[in-house]
Structure formats: structure tokens, C-alpha cells
């Protein structure tokens, strides 16, 4: 009997792998679709791996978002993704830290609809390395579950067609001419002046795709058969905007710190972005009617940060406003912390006053707090994106819990009045 030595076995395995790669279709990378973004550094056809960084113009926000399609796969074969941080920068800024672009688990889909997590990536020197195998010849991969303008439009359209209480409308047209979808919800004949005003918006920073899924979860619960949802529809007028920074979301740019300023630093006397101009106008109308009751701005935070709410310091608000806000936060923590699937959340909010940012007065929730009615609740909610349950299901569960919290909070208000 003849034995194969380890060295010969290694040569044979290398020969087999080499022959297999030669017979396979060549891998190719594509991002020429809505929300697509990637800067491809290398494709190694032999090892079936590719090296890339996030795409995007740094003048249009942090280059941390990536979303692209890989073609040429052999069904079932493993492919290796080597992600490096972007070196792109603008003006005097330093390149963005790579941690913002490197989730513990990447997101993938074979049909562009159902999104799943890869196995945890491995940090190898300056790269994050993910490996996945799918039973398909192509796969979409992304920083997180994408939520594009087309998806927002479809959600608003479909839910308005299935519910007589919802109307698909638009907030405005963007500077690049895109429609900004908005959902308008109310049920029954109660006059508007007797309804609570509720404004929910997401995605002032384009890369924070999870916030749009939270907004969708809010809308799904709101139009559900839940008796509590019916109460909210009957006693409030609700405006829901799944994507504010529509242009950067469509073009695959980060949005955060975009020039001349990002959307969430643009709530000033003279906003640059048309979305902010339109939102300010509608919110101001609610304020003038003394019914700007709940303003919620949805985001994703720093990697691994479980901070859930961002608020103004107490000394900048009236005592009655602080009391209402604290009650809402308590209800939200209690309800959303029990949502399934759970996403970690800290019960200690972060303060967004004078030391937070030079443009702190122009942050949306701060602007609404300072210009709103005495009983206006205005908070920023940030849902963690770098956890196992940071998925479409997890985000939507947070949104549903948030909507139920709004109902409970306003029902208490109604009993007191």
C-alpha cells in the first residue's frame, strides 16, 4: 500500500482548488442600483475573495455605508469579503474611523427582500473579514438591512391601500427632485383641533438604515388590528416620514456631516435642505394649533452604543415638560425592553445641550423642544445597529413598541385633561 505524504496531499488540494476556480464563473461586483455603494480594491478569483471599502462622496457624508451585489457565485461555495475602512476625507477632516463601517455581522440577501446576518466577522489586522455561502449565483451584501426610497414609497403606498385610515402623500420634493414619501394617519370624524399631533421621522442621516425599519414597524403597528392602535388613530393625527435624507439614501452616501450641513444640524432659521423646510413648516403649524404633542426623530447610534434616547438638559425646559418627558421615557423603556427580538438599550439618556455639538440648537428635537408648546414631547430615539438582533425584525419590534408607548402616553394625557 502506498501512502500520500502531507506535502503531496497539500499539492493535490491546491491543484483541485485551482482547477475549481478556473472552471467557476468569474466573480464581479455591482453597485449601479438605488442605494448601492462600494469602492472595490481587489477581486482574487483563485481564492474567491474580494477586498473593498465603503463608497460614497465624503462631501456628502461619512463614508461608512456599503451595499453591493456579487455575481458569478457557484451555489454553495464560500466567498470571502475583506472590508477596510475608507481613507476618503474632505477639507480638513481626518478619514472616518473604520469602526463605523464594520458591523460585527454583515447583512446579506439573495433576493433583495429578505435580509439575514452573516456569521460574525473576524478582525484581521486593519480589515474585517466576513465569509458566507449561499445557494445562488449572486448575493446582495450590505452594512445593514437596506431601506431605499423605493421601499419607503412602496410601504407608504401599500399600507394606504390596505387601510382606510392611512393616506400616502409626500413631504416635499428634494433638492435633486426626488419624492419624500410620507404617511398621514387618522381615523373617524374627530376634528383635527381635538386630536393630538404626532410627528415621526427617520433617516436624517442616510447611512442609518435601521431607523427606517423602526419607522416602518411604527406604521405597521399603527395600522394594525390592535385595539390600542385604533385608539391612537381615533385620538391623534399622525405624520410618518420613513426617510428624510432621501438624496443621499438613493445615491449611497453617508449623509452624516454632509456639506454644507447634515439634515439634523439644519433646523435653523434658514434651512438648506427642502426636507427640513417642509418638516419645519408642518411642525410649526401643529405648534401654532397648540397640538405638537409628540415629536420623534429616529436614528442609529455609535457601534455598540446602547444609548436609546437623546434629550435636552432639564434646566432648558419647563418643569411640566420635563415631567412629561420623564414619564414617556419610563413607559418606553418598560415596553420596548420587552419587545422581541430584543435589542440592548440603556435607560440612561444622553444630553444634547451646549457641550454636545456647536450646532446643538439646530438639532431637530432640540429645535422642536425650544419652539414647541409647553406640553410638547420631543426626543431622539437611537436603536443599536451592531447587535445580533439588529435585524429587520428587531428594528420593527422596536417601532411597534414605540408606537404602543405613544398610545399609552397620550391615553394618560387624555385622562388628565
Amino acid at each position: 500500500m502506498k501512502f500520500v505524504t502531507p506535502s503531496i496531499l497539500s499539492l493535490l488540494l491546491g491543484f483541485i482548488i485551482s482547477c475549481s476556480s478556473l472552471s467557476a464563473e468569474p466573480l464581479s461586483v455591482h453597485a449601479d442600483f438605488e442605494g448601492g455603494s462600494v469602492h472595490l480594491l481587489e477581486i482574487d478569483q483563485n481564492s474567491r475573495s474580494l477586498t473593498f471599502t465603503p463608497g460614497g462622496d465624503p462631501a456628502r457624508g461619512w463614508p461608512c455605508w456599503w451595499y453591493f451585489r456579487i455575481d458569478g457565485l457557484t451555489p454553495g461555495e464560500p466567498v470571502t469579503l475583506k472590508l477596510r475602512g475608507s481613507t476618503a476625507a474632505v477639507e480638513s477632516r481626518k478619514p472616518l474611523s473604520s469602526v463605523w463601517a464594520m458591523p460585527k455581522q454583515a447583512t446579506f440577501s439573495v433576493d433583495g427582500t429578505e435580509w439575514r446576518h452573516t456569521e460574525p466577522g473576524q478582525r484581521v489586522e486593519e480589515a474585517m473579514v466576513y465569509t458566507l455561502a449561499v445557494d445562488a449565483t449572486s448575493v446582495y451584501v450590505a452594512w445593514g438591512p437596506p431601506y431605499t426610497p423605493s421601499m419607503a414609497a412602496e410601504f407608504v403606498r401599500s399600507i394606504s391601500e390596505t387601510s382606510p385610515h392611512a393616506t400616502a402623500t409626500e413631504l416635499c420634493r428634494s433638492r435633486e427632485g426626488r419624492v419624500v414619501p410620507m404617511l398621514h394617519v387618522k381615523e373617524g370624524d374627530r376634528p383635527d383641533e381635538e386630536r393630538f399631533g404626532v410627528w415621526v421621522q427617520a433617516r436624517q442621516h442616510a447611512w442609518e438604515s435601521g431607523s427606517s425599519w423602526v419607522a416602518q414597524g411604527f406604521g405597521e403597528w399603527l395600522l394594525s388590528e390592535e385595539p390600542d392602535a385604533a385608539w391612537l388613530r381615533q385620538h391623534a393625527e399622525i405624520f410618518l416620514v420613513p426617510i428624510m435624507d432621501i438624496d443621499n439614501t438613493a445615491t449611497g452616501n453617508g449623509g452624516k456631516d454632509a456639506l454644507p450641513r447634515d439634515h439634523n444640524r439644519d433646523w435653523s432659521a434658514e434651512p438648506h435642505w427642502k426636507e427640513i423646510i417642509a418638516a419645519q413648516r408642518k411642525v410649526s403649524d401643529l405648534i401654532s394649533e397648540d397640538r405638537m404633542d409628540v415629536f420623534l426623530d429616529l436614528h442609529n447610534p455609535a457601534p455598540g452604543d446602547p444609548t436609546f434616547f437623546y434629550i435636552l438638559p432639564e434646566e432648558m425646559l419647563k418643569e411640566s415638560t420635563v415631567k412629561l418627558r420623564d414619564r414617556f421615557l419610563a413607559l418606553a423603556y418598560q415596553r420596548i425592553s420587552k419587545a422581541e427580538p430584543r435589542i440592548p438599550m440603556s435607560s440612561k439618556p444622553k444630553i444634547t445641550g451646549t457641550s454636545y455639538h456647536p450646532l446643538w440648537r439646530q438639532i431637530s428635537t432640540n429645535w422642536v423642544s425650544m419652539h414647541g408648546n409647553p406640553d410638547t414631547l420631543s426626543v431622539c430615539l437611537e436603536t443599536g445597529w451592531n447587535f445580533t438582533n439588529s435585524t429587520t425584525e428587531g428594528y420593527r419590534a422596536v417601532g411597534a413598541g414605540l408606537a404602543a408607548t405613544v398610545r399609552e402616553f397620550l391615553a394618560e394625557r387624555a385622562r388628565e385633561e
Side-chain angles (χ1 to χ4, degrees):
M1 179 181 293
K2 294 183 179 180
F3 294 93
V4 180
T5 65
S7 60
I8 295 175
L9 182 60
S10 296
L11 289 172
L12 287 172
L13 289 173
F15 178 74
I16 292 171
I17 293 173
S18 176
C19 290
S20 176
S21 63
L22 288 173
S23 63
E25 290 290 327
L27 296 177
S28 59
V29 169
H30 307 271
D32 54 346
F33 48 81
E34 188 180 44
S37 180
V38 68
H39 178 58
L40 183 64
L41 299 177
E42 179 187 22
I43 296 181
D44 188 328
Q45 301 292 355
N46 291 325
S47 64
R48 306 297 273 177
S49 66
L50 53 95
T51 304
F52 68 98
T53 69
D57 179 356
R60 298 188 63 170
W62 288 1
C64 56
W65 170 256
W66 47 274
Y67 171 30
F68 56 94
R69 188 183 73 247
I70 308 170
D71 292 344
L73 298 173
T74 299
E77 77 162 325
V79 61
T80 302
L81 313 179
K82 299 177 182 178
L83 167 63
R84 297 186 179 276
S86 174
T87 59
V90 63
E91 296 183 344
S92 61
R93 301 177 189 173
K94 296 180 180 178
L96 181 68
S97 171
S98 63
V99 299
W100 292 91
M102 295 180 173
K104 295 176 183 177
Q105 295 172 276
T107 298
F108 73 96
S109 173
V110 296
D111 59 7
T113 301
E114 182 180 352
W115 296 94
R116 299 164 53 195
H117 272 158
T118 66
E119 293 298 317
Q122 301 296 320
R123 192 65 184 257
V124 180
E125 297 179 345
E126 297 300 315
M128 180 68 85
V129 180
Y130 309 100
T131 302
L132 76 156
V134 297
D135 189 21
T137 58
S138 67
V139 64
Y140 292 91
V141 292
W143 172 91
Y147 198 100
T148 64
S150 294
M151 294 169 67
E154 173 60 21
F155 168 66
V156 168
R157 183 199 61 77
S158 62
I159 205 166
S160 66
E161 289 181 353
T162 57
S163 172
H165 317 304
T167 302
T169 183
E170 61 183 63
L171 174 64
C172 65
R173 296 289 178 113
S174 70
R175 291 179 70 90
E176 295 180 5
R178 294 183 177 88
V179 171
V180 181
M182 181 171 71
L183 190 67
H184 180 218
V185 178
K186 60 180 181 179
E187 177 181 341
D189 299 326
R190 186 183 300 271
D192 288 349
E193 59 268 23
E194 297 179 10
R195 293 176 180 268
F196 295 106
V198 178
W199 183 275
V200 183
Q201 63 181 33
R203 209 71 171 277
Q204 290 204 87
H205 298 143
W207 68 274
E208 299 171 11
S209 64
S211 65
S212 290
W213 286 104
V214 174
Q216 177 164 323
F218 189 106
E220 288 169 338
W221 185 91
L222 178 63
L223 276 306
S224 71
E225 298 298 322
E226 289 281 344
D228 284 349
W231 186 97
L232 185 55
R233 296 193 302 267
Q234 293 161 5
H235 290 80
E237 181 179 20
I238 305 100
F239 301 89
L240 176 65
V241 185
I243 301 175
M244 287 287 286
D245 187 359
I246 204 84
D247 289 338
N248 282 321
T249 298
T251 54
N253 290 290
K256 175 81 169 182
D257 279 352
L259 299 177
R261 68 180 72 93
D262 77 34
H263 282 59
N264 202 32
R265 307 290 185 268
D266 196 35
W267 288 67
S268 62
E270 297 183 356
H272 174 77
W273 303 108
K274 291 186 176 182
E275 297 93 326
I276 308 307
I277 294 171
Q280 271 191 345
R281 184 179 299 120
K282 289 185 176 295
V283 169
S284 294
D285 287 344
L286 291 172
I287 292 171
S288 67
E289 296 165 6
D290 192 25
R291 62 189 192 98
M292 181 63 268
D293 295 288
V294 176
F295 180 93
L296 301 175
D297 186 35
L298 308 181
H299 289 258
N300 292 130
D305 186 353
T307 301
F308 211 60
F309 285 108
Y310 285 61
I311 59 175
L312 274 175
E314 292 186 5
E315 59 270 20
M316 292 186 177
L317 301 172
K318 294 182 178 180
E319 183 178 351
S320 59
T321 306
V322 173
K323 182 179 179 181
L324 286 171
R325 185 188 68 192
D326 289 349
R327 178 55 180 163
F328 180 85
L329 298 188
L331 291 173
Y333 287 126
Q334 181 181 27
R335 184 178 291 273
I336 300 175
S337 65
K338 298 177 181 179
E340 293 292 350
R342 300 180 187 180
I343 295 176
M345 54 185 290
S346 168
S347 61
K348 184 177 181 180
K350 188 169 290 186
I351 304 300
T352 59
T354 56
S355 62
Y356 179 73
H357 191 278
L359 299 178
W360 66 274
R361 292 180 181 273
Q362 296 174 201
I363 292 173
S364 60
T365 52
N366 294 350
W367 185 91
V368 174
S369 289
M370 292 184 291
H371 290 80
N373 306 124
D375 53 1
T376 295
L377 166 77
S378 177
V379 294
C380 168
L381 180 148
E382 307 227 6
T383 306
W385 58 269
N386 208 18
F387 302 99
T388 299
N389 287 335
S390 300
T391 60
T392 57
E393 294 83 3
Y395 291 134
R396 289 159 71 189
V398 170
L402 182 62
T405 300
V406 171
R407 183 270 173 199
E408 185 174 5
F409 173 75
L410 292 179
E412 288 185 358
R413 286 269 310 275
R415 288 194 293 270
E416 293 171 358
E417 294 179 354

